[in-house]
Amino acid sequence: MPRHRQRRPGGRPADRWPAGWGAGGAGERRAPLFAVLASSGASAAGSAMTMIAVPWFVLASTGSGAKTGMVAAAETVGLLVSLALAGPLIDRHGARRMSVLADLFTAAAVAVIPAAHAAGALSAGLLAVLAFAVGLGRSPSRSAKHVLLPEAMSGAGIGTERGTSAREAVQRAGDLVGAPAGGVLITMVGAAQVLLIDAAALLVSALLVLACVPTRRVSHHAPPVIPSGRIRGYLGDLAETGRRLRADRLLLAVTGQCAAMNALLVGLLVVLVPAYGALVWHSSALVGAVIAALGAGGLLGALIYGWFGPRLGRWATFSAGFLLCGPPVYVVLAVDPPATVLVALLALCSLGSGPLNPVVAALEYDRVPVELRGRVCTAVNAGAVAALPVGAVLAGMLLDRVGPRAAVLVFGALCLAVCLCPLLFPIWREMDRPAGLATPKRASVPLVIYSE
């Protein structure tokens, strides 16, 4: 049949796709998807370097685990604030525009850190303020790309499990490249200078979306923005989002579990692992290798799920993934085997983390209407990161009081308790129900997990 009448999956003819999405040849149809994936990967690589450089700088300059935790907590507070407030902006003004603006804002905040360091003006307080600004920008960037992905997958003719797995894989690949590069570059040029590379990666991320993702009109379902009702309409969006989230027990359960796991993870990655590098291993390169191993295992796990995902149950995959990538990681770190064994075991454990975000993203795209994805995705993400500051501060306090190994064991015990929840409570089994059956009568809602 002629190209303009070819049908995509789902039966709608190509000439009815949204303007700018999929109307041309195969390369044009896939360009937005490639741009979203590449932008996500570039941003992840820069974030991985920052995740090592900032805690290392604080530990090296102050020797305080508590201050390291406070700076890490400042960034997570920025993430939480922006997640709670940015959703209606994405729905009203478009995910493409918000993605570009957020990446540019974050690049500027990151670039100020080495500039202030070179001027001798980078105090712990200023670093905390800049970390807050970095978190404030990174969250809308991630959420906007998350909203852009379903249209890009549809235009390219890619299924949900494979598309979400592809995004997870490129983010893991960014971690895989960024973490060891950050560890090596710290020893060569210093922690502050590594942040310049992060700023450059964010600029590349913004340019990819700006150049390759078509502009789309804001959905007519979004409430109008008028001078007399601008503030009331925005607050009304937030209130409606809250009502929708409270109506879905599965959504609340998954969000709570993700909040607890993310708090433990951020405490591990931004406080305890850097502390191991400084106090136990005496090597920033091994810190990078450990984080890269976690990223490599997750990358392989995401690729495996992309291939076999449509055949696997979501509940079983979700539960097994958490049990594999959670408690065993803390046990391995506490035992502290030789470096090669350590890295290999951590990579093996992290295979379980690969399917987690794709599973929840697939559930989200099944359960939430297109016109509400910006506000609902960011609201659920806000819940998933709500406890991140607690995890960072708790890790810093434990580090000062009991040392790195005991702190890791405490975190491991908490992680085990959280990972057992999907096996003990039946609400998680609704993950395998069709979207129409899983959606409550009072509202149709989604879910998502904080990742990146």
Side-chain angles (χ1 to χ4, degrees):
M1 60 179 65
R3 176 180 295 174
H4 70 280
R5 294 299 298 173
Q6 289 178 352
R7 293 182 177 268
R8 66 171 185 174
R12 277 174 33 189
D15 59 355
R16 294 180 60 190
W17 293 0
W21 293 77
E28 182 181 345
R29 293 196 302 270
R30 295 173 182 172
L33 177 61
F34 291 155
V36 171
L37 295 179
S39 178
S40 298
S43 179
S47 297
M49 288 186 284
T50 302
M51 185 170 60
I52 297 175
V54 172
W56 190 273
F57 176 82
V58 178
L59 279 172
S61 59
T62 68
S64 171
K67 288 184 179 180
T68 304
M70 289 177 63
V71 171
E75 180 174 352
T76 60
V77 170
L79 284 169
L80 178 59
V81 169
S82 60
L83 276 171
L85 300 178
L89 296 178
I90 293 175
D91 286 335
R92 288 167 179 257
H93 303 293
R96 176 181 180 270
R97 178 183 298 176
M98 291 301 298
S99 175
V100 173
L101 292 177
D103 282 338
L104 293 177
F105 173 83
T106 310
V110 170
V112 170
I113 297 177
H117 175 67
L122 188 61
S123 64
L126 177 59
L127 188 57
V129 171
L130 293 172
F132 175 83
V134 169
L136 201 64
R138 287 199 195 278
S139 174
S141 171
R142 296 188 187 109
S143 298
K145 292 178 180 63
H146 190 75
V147 174
L148 287 172
L149 184 62
E151 292 280 10
M153 292 189 303
S154 178
I158 302 296
T160 301
E161 280 77 11
R162 291 190 176 178
T164 55
S165 297
R167 183 166 184 256
E168 180 72 6
V170 298
Q171 289 176 331
R172 298 282 184 172
D175 293 335
L176 185 62
V177 173
V184 171
L185 287 172
I186 287 173
T187 63
M188 296 176 60
V189 299
Q193 301 303 320
V194 172
L195 298 176
L196 289 174
I197 302 175
D198 183 16
L202 288 164
L203 288 175
V204 171
S205 176
L207 291 174
L208 282 169
V209 173
L210 185 64
C212 300
V213 177
T215 302
R216 300 191 64 222
R217 294 183 300 175
V218 179
S219 170
H220 67 277
H221 295 285
V225 181
I226 56 177
S228 61
R230 185 184 302 272
I231 297 178
R232 178 178 297 179
Y234 181 84
L235 295 179
D237 287 349
L238 293 179
E240 175 62 21
T241 300
R243 288 191 291 269
R244 286 176 173 272
L245 297 183
R246 290 193 300 271
D248 193 314
R249 293 176 59 238
L250 175 60
L251 172 64
L252 293 177
V254 173
T255 302
Q257 183 183 16
C258 292
M261 289 298 293
N262 286 330
L264 296 173
L265 181 63
V266 77
L268 177 71
L269 293 183
V270 306
V271 177
L272 297 180
V273 170
Y276 259 74
L279 304 175
V280 179
W281 302 325
H282 305 290
S283 169
S284 65
L286 185 53
V287 173
V290 164
I291 297 177
L294 296 173
L299 168 61
L300 182 58
L303 292 174
I304 293 173
Y305 180 73
W307 187 261
F308 294 102
R311 314 172 200 175
L312 303 176
R314 290 174 177 173
W315 170 77
T317 302
F318 190 75
S319 303
F322 266 128
L323 285 172
L324 178 59
C325 73
V329 170
Y330 297 91
V331 173
V332 170
L333 284 173
V335 172
D336 191 24
T340 54
V341 177
L342 173 73
V343 171
L345 288 176
L346 291 178
L348 180 63
C349 293
S350 65
L351 284 172
S353 68
L356 298 179
N357 285 323
V359 165
V360 183
L363 284 168
E364 177 185 63
Y365 298 146
D366 284 350
R367 298 167 69 89
V368 63
V370 173
E371 65 273 11
L372 298 178
R373 281 177 183 161
R375 72 194 76 170
V376 175
C377 292
T378 52
V380 178
N381 269 330
V385 303
L388 290 186
V390 176
V393 172
L394 178 60
M397 294 174 61
L398 285 172
L399 177 62
D400 286 344
R401 288 180 176 271
V402 301
R405 283 191 175 89
V408 164
L409 287 174
V410 171
F411 267 51
L414 295 173
C415 182
L416 177 61
V418 173
C419 289
L420 290 175
C421 289
L423 301 177
L424 299 177
F425 301 100
I427 185 64
W428 269 270
R429 294 182 181 269
E430 291 188 8
M431 298 175 78
D432 287 327
R433 293 186 184 179
L437 296 177
T439 302
K441 295 180 179 179
R442 286 183 290 170
S444 58
V445 248
L447 52 151
V448 74
I449 184 173
Y450 170 72
S451 62
E452 317 172 79

